Amino acid sequence: MAETAAREAELLAKVPTGLLINGEWRDASDGGTFEVADPATGKVLATLASATSEDALAALDAADKVQASWARTAPRERAEILRRGFELVTERAEDFALLMTMEMGKPLAESRGEVVYGAEFLRWFSEEAVRDYGRYLTTPEGKNKILVQRKPVGPCLLITPWNFPLAMATRKVGPAIAAGCTMVLKPAKLTPLTSQLFAQTMIEAGLPAGVLNVVSSKSASGISGPLMQDSRLRKVSFTGSTPVGKQLLKDAANNVLRTSMELGGNAPFIVFEDADLDKAVEGAMAAKMRNMGEACTAANRFLVQASVAEEFTTKFANAMKALKTGRGTEADTTVGPLIDGGARDDVHALVTAAVEAGASVSTGGAPVDGDGYFYQPTVLANVPNDADILRSEIFGPVAPVTTFETEEQAIALANASEYGLASYIYSRDVNRMFRVSEQIEFGLVGYNAGVISNAAAPFGGVKQSGMGREGGAEGLDEYTTVQYIGIADPYAK
């Protein structure tokens, strides 16, 4: 334990605690601070400078001043900075993993997985930076030439959530750098330490002063409000809850800002009677329990064909029962804490209401006594289709199972949500996969796969799960504007 404590203290000493503005770490303008706590113990990990509105505008000043020169920087140079960032993050994987486990709670094995996933956005966009193609062609009637080019959208506000502290930053910073945009990054106040260390790493990778500015703060509105009222800001990219996303969209309307919104989810996990049930359970564990269920892509509703529901639920409950809760640094931990006490209370309230509505507890169903914000991995069977837990984003290690009879009913149940981010289908019938995926209203579909996020694939949802895409070639498009130049055709008569 003493060795672990010493290692954690050594790592925390490496993390900058100030605001990054124009390449320098500084205190908040009013001297304000806020604390970051370990959700496994409740103990304070670090005290950071808390940015004010004045600091936010200073960060935008810095971003605006270097936007023109950064946009003119050769794509290869921007690509090389991203590549060096990828290499440095990979070299420091253990530091990033431990830091995420400390501030967010996930087991070290999951944190290591996030480092690999998050770093890949830097490598992917280093490769995309030199492939931001335009086009040149003749108009159909032959009078003019069409020249289309892509240009960086300009200074961006990037607002990241607490659940994936590294990957959500790299998924936004990577394409912004590749496109030639400058940035003001606002990390979540619950887990800002990873973003602080990542920003320092990008400086070491060669990112010029002012291109990336970081304003960690205890007041989200104190940062976003004045920035979104400033005409120099050209884009906001937000990952978080749908209610906050809606407010940001209203704020963005005043200056007609470009927006990317990755919002809430209520993912259906559909198991048909012809599925390989063992693989379906394996996929269900991955789709549900990644990040303790604190993911917008987490399987939220398990829709199982009635003929196999009992067998699937029994196997699923046995797999969940075998998990072990604990601090993420402990070697045998497979489930860490929820992010705070409020989150745990919300999860338990949903479970309690579902049981009162007629659901039965197959395993779990209660908070874990002791320090930290732990909740038992839970499977609920026979959940009524009108239960609140099927309409809410659970954001915890709870899996409600309900049944359906026909393919048409499965599709109707899947679409009975305001959200449309991730979905999962388990079946041996490929034709069924095509039929169902074409009819369900979700931006992401996993077919016999419980984890599908990848830097090379477009990530995003429909309906109230947001707009825009992150990752893939589409991710770079989000940070560019299209300019058309009409040129008189020298051969036209």
Side-chain angles (χ1 to χ4, degrees):
M1 287 296 291
E3 183 178 344
T4 301
R7 167 80 176 101
E8 292 177 9
E10 178 186 16
L11 174 56
L12 288 171
K14 295 180 183 178
V15 178
T17 57
L19 312 174
L20 179 61
I21 300 176
N22 199 29
E24 297 181 353
W25 294 101
R26 62 173 75 169
D27 292 337
S29 56
D30 66 352
T33 60
F34 69 103
E35 295 178 338
V36 181
D38 180 346
T41 63
K43 295 180 180 178
V44 173
L45 295 170
T47 301
L48 270 62
S50 181
T52 64
S53 296
E54 180 182 336
D55 296 320
L57 291 173
L60 182 57
D61 286 341
D64 182 59
K65 285 176 183 176
V66 300
Q67 176 58 59
S69 61
W70 178 239
R72 290 193 298 270
T73 302
R76 178 65 68 195
E77 185 174 340
R78 298 198 299 265
E80 291 299 328
I81 290 170
L82 282 169
R83 181 70 191 204
R84 286 194 294 272
F86 163 77
E87 291 168 352
L88 286 173
V89 169
T90 301
E91 288 172 10
R92 301 168 184 177
E94 286 301 303
D95 280 354
F96 278 104
L98 179 56
L99 193 58
M100 281 190 285
T101 291
M102 291 166 65
E103 68 172 343
M104 188 267 159
K106 68 185 75 183
L108 269 174
E110 285 204 45
S111 292
R112 290 176 179 128
E114 183 176 339
V115 175
V116 173
Y117 172 60
E120 191 60 29
F121 286 100
L122 303 177
R123 177 159 63 175
W124 170 260
F125 285 110
S126 76
E127 296 164 345
E128 290 294 290
V130 296
R131 297 181 177 87
D132 194 10
Y133 303 125
R135 59 187 200 276
Y136 178 71
L137 66 158
T138 303
T139 58
E141 72 281 0
K143 298 295 184 182
N144 287 334
K145 296 290 187 181
I146 296 173
L147 176 63
V148 178
Q149 64 175 345
R150 291 189 174 275
K151 302 168 66 175
V153 69
C156 303
L157 170 60
L158 312 178
I159 305 174
T160 56
W162 51 262
N163 54 344
F164 290 93
L166 178 63
M168 298 301 97
T170 60
R171 197 160 76 176
K172 298 181 190 298
V173 170
I177 290 175
C181 296
T182 57
M183 299 149 280
V184 177
L185 173 63
K186 165 60 178 73
K189 66 180 180 181
L190 292 171
T191 60
L193 301 179
T194 303
S195 289
Q196 301 275 122
L197 184 61
F198 169 60
Q200 179 62 41
T201 301
M202 291 309 298
I203 292 173
E204 294 175 36
L207 198 64
V211 174
L212 174 61
N213 305 276
V214 182
V215 284
S216 297
S217 179
K218 59 188 173 185
S219 172
S221 61
I223 303 303
S224 63
L227 290 183
M228 294 177 71
Q229 294 168 18
D230 195 306
S231 61
R232 295 172 299 173
L233 188 74
R234 299 300 175 85
K235 175 182 171 68
V236 59
S237 176
F238 170 73
T239 299
S241 73
T242 295
V244 174
K246 288 180 178 179
Q247 183 58 54
L248 289 173
L249 284 170
K250 292 177 183 177
D251 295 342
N254 292 327
N255 280 329
V256 195
L257 291 173
R258 282 281 296 277
T259 57
S260 298
M261 295 282 152
E262 199 269 280
L263 308 177
N266 189 357
F269 190 101
I270 309 171
V271 182
F272 289 97
E273 60 188 358
D274 65 335
D276 181 324
L277 290 189
D278 290 332
K279 290 193 178 300
V281 169
E282 182 181 339
M285 293 296 292
K288 175 73 260 183
M289 294 306 294
R290 183 185 185 201
N291 231 44
M292 293 79 72
E294 294 175 311
C296 54
T297 56
N300 215 53
R301 300 171 288 153
F302 290 83
L303 314 178
V304 186
Q305 202 149 19
S307 58
V308 295
E310 183 175 354
E311 183 181 358
F312 172 84
T313 303
T314 298
K315 290 183 174 183
F316 191 17
N318 287 339
M320 291 280 270
K321 199 178 301 183
L323 298 176
K324 183 179 184 303
T325 59
R327 191 169 190 252
T329 52
E330 297 171 5
D332 57 348
T333 291
T334 49
V335 183
L338 298 183
I339 191 64
D340 60 22
R344 184 173 65 174
D345 291 345
D346 289 345
V347 168
H348 189 52
L350 286 171
V351 171
T352 301
V355 172
E356 290 175 351
S360 57
V361 178
S362 295
T363 189
V368 177
D369 293 333
D371 294 334
Y373 310 115
F374 296 92
Y375 199 86
Q376 296 173 352
T378 298
V379 174
L380 301 177
N382 307 310
V383 179
N385 285 330
D386 60 352
D388 286 345
I389 200 168
L390 297 180
R391 294 193 296 267
S392 305
E393 188 171 23
I394 300 170
F395 244 60
V398 177
V401 180
T402 190
T403 62
F404 64 89
E405 296 290 344
T406 66
E407 184 176 302
E408 291 73 21
Q409 187 185 9
I411 292 168
L413 288 171
N415 287 338
S417 172
E418 63 188 359
Y419 298 107
L421 185 58
S423 59
Y424 306 90
I425 302 168
Y426 271 76
S427 170
R428 289 186 172 95
D429 185 344
V430 175
N431 289 332
R432 171 176 276 157
M433 181 274 292
F434 281 112
R435 286 196 306 271
V436 176
S437 63
E438 288 179 2
Q439 294 179 73
I440 59 175
E441 300 166 340
F442 293 87
L444 311 172
V445 180
Y447 176 55
N448 291 337
V451 177
I452 58 173
S453 298
N454 190 282
F459 184 103
V462 298
K463 299 195 290 188
Q464 295 197 34
S465 285
M467 61 185 69
R469 294 295 182 267
E470 295 184 309
E474 295 83 356
L476 187 58
D477 292 345
E478 295 286 330
Y479 291 86
T480 62
T481 59
V482 174
Q483 185 179 58
Y484 154 59
I485 304 171
I487 307 167
D489 192 319
Y491 299 104
K493 296 179 182 179

